[in-house]
Amino acid sequence: MKNFLSLILIIIVTSCAPTSEQTNEIQDLEDFLSSVEEENKKEGPVIYSASWISSNFITYDSQKVIADYGTRYTLKSLERSRQAANFDDIKTSPENRRMLDILKSSFVMPPPLDNALASELSQITTNLEAMYGSGEYCFEDGSCYDLEGFESIIDSSRNPSELLRAWQGWHEIGKPMKPMYMRMVEIGNQGSIDLGYEGLSDLWFSKYDMPAEDFLDDTDRVWDEVKPLYDALHCHVRAKLNEHYGDEIVPKSGPLPVHMLGNMWGQSWSNVYDLIYEEETESNYIDVTKIINEKSIDEIEMVEYAEDFFISMGFKPLPETFWERSLFIKPRDRSVVCHASAWNLDPANNDLRIKMCIEKNEEDFITIHHELGHIFYYQAYNHIPTVFQAGANDGFHEAFGDLLTLSITPDYLVDIGFISKDEAEKAKQDPIGLLMKQALDGIVIVPWALMLDKWRSGVFNGEIDEKNLNSSWWNLREEYQGISTSYSRSEDYFDPGAKYHIPGNTPYTRYYLASIMQYQFHEALCNLIDYDGYLHECSIYGNKEAGDKIISTMAMGQSLPWQDAFENLTGSRQLSGKSILNYYAPLKEWLDEQNKNRICGWSEK
Ligand SMILES: [Zn+2]
């Protein structure tokens, strides 16, 4: 009876004012969040500087320093995740709750509370990364290749047996990863449960401001919209490869053989463009690489062109330190990580940099625009609390980078003095060539970026187990992409391990989201500026109205549900495949005409 009474009392008390215990907890929560903010401001820039040094001066010592920082940072993040999880049951403001959720879910592979398991997990993840990084295969004739060596064959060879051999060679590296990968998932699931999640799948997919299951369903809904466009492209590509290679190598029906697509994973087909599409006349083609060289535009000037794009839309210029501290040119006297990247080293002081070994060509001209998309995003949200300094969801950063590249149109090239109006008009006469080139990346990536995490969520939640690990991978690849191997791969293989993001535990859904959202952004902005014409010819260069929309969306960071940011820019709260269809409409029409007498699709029925 006494207990019952005190229970009632507590309930009554709770409903009108916090108990002293709760007041303490609320105070603890406020203290915790402000200490996170303070630490981020103080320690973040130092860790970033160490990381910058380790990527710009690859030496024994720099690697030692960053490894040490890495371990300490991991421990710190883990401690924060657990502390954040302790506040699960406390009533607090939506802003605080959002911060706690972000801190809690910051791990992709969280270590469990059990120390032995935690150190086993750390061993496994380090080993898997190293196995991929140092991956190499030697053939019986004694010749050995690493990924770069194999890729140079896959990307450019037109010899089917050489291609198959290179593809098989690289995929040998997955085999020994399989037991380690499964053990890692087992421990990671435990770690996620210890943080209050149902498991890894729940942890990975519940950060999209909706229940994990609804989010995964939603990604499928959008894919259903895009699929007819992909199917038409697939049909045409198969027919053209069949014309070139014959029935033995690329049959007229069924899935495409993965090793024949000019990319190790079949995730981009732009390397076989010349087999897929014959350009109408050579003279229509705008050769940006040639223009850069003829005008003797140097590496820094290429970056200035990209900065000018943003300034033309009303963005603030980049700080002086960006130009002083970035790496633009490959140093002659030391080894650096050349892979292009954008850095936000010290948000409070707006210390922004890119690191890139710029080559004077079209590809890098486009990449610079993409990287500056990240940089201007940082600059737009660097004034808000550090925990919120990120994209609205993990697809936003890449989507904004790519958004700008969609505006590198013939008219833009006229505006910046690269070509004449006449040349632009000529280029526009062959829209199919322009769109086909983009589609072989932009459309081809969509089902791949979706299936990869479909497979992973299946492994995480146990729907896929050791017995069908490899077959489920190929079933999904066939179902989504219409791609397969030309023979069956047994469970001895672990083909997912031959793609960096699997052993490296890098989430992939972000690329799917970016591949869809960038077209929604583009279409919404082109509508906003009352553009009338083909979407692929629309450029938002020089438009302040479009700039305002982008800046206000970027400035939100991840302080609000991503749907709010998305609505601010597009007027809608939902992902949709319609914009990508509108963008490629002229290509789709052309493909349908080409495919008229072909049997499309790849299922056996
Ligand atoms: Zn990027």
Side-chain angles (χ1 to χ4, degrees), residues 370-371 374 397-398 401-402:
H370 174 96
E371 295 306 327
H374 293 309
H397 248 287
E398 296 306 321
D402 286 344

Side-chain angles (χ1 to χ4, degrees), residues 285-300:
Y285 172 66
I286 303 170
D287 189 343
V288 174
T289 304
K290 206 170 122 203
I291 297 165
I292 290 170
N293 287 305
E294 275 173 6
K295 290 187 169 287
S296 334
I297 294 168
D298 67 24
E299 294 87 347
I300 314 267

Side-chain angles (χ1 to χ4, degrees), residues 378-488:
Y378 299 145
Q379 181 161 271
Y381 63 52
N382 268 349
H383 62 284
I384 64 178
T386 56
V387 178
F388 290 148
Q389 290 172 1
N393 68 34
D394 58 2
F396 269 65
H397 248 287
E398 296 306 321
F400 272 123
D402 286 344
L403 172 68
L404 265 284
T405 70
L406 294 180
S407 278
I408 304 182
T409 59
D411 286 343
Y412 165 62
L413 296 176
V414 174
D415 285 342
I416 62 170
F418 270 32
I419 56 172
S420 68
K421 272 214 160 79
D422 257 13
E423 287 168 305
E425 287 314 312
K426 269 191 201 154
K428 287 196 232 168
Q429 280 164 17
D430 183 15
I432 305 306
L434 288 171
L435 284 173
M436 180 65 89
K437 210 172 273 166
Q438 286 185 41
L440 293 177
D441 285 324
I443 300 175
V444 168
I445 185 86
V446 178
W448 160 252
L450 180 59
M451 72 66 60
L452 203 137
D453 275 353
K454 287 265 163 201
W455 179 84
R456 209 154 24 186
S457 78
V459 178
F460 288 168
N461 67 27
E463 278 164 30
I464 297 171
D465 63 27
E466 237 155 326
K467 290 190 283 305
N468 59 2
L469 214 50
N470 211 41
S471 60
S472 60
W473 173 259
W474 287 108
N475 287 343
L476 284 168
R477 294 206 64 178
E478 185 165 333
E479 180 189 338
Y480 282 92
Q481 297 177 278
I483 288 179
S484 73
T485 55
S486 41
Y487 60 97
S488 95

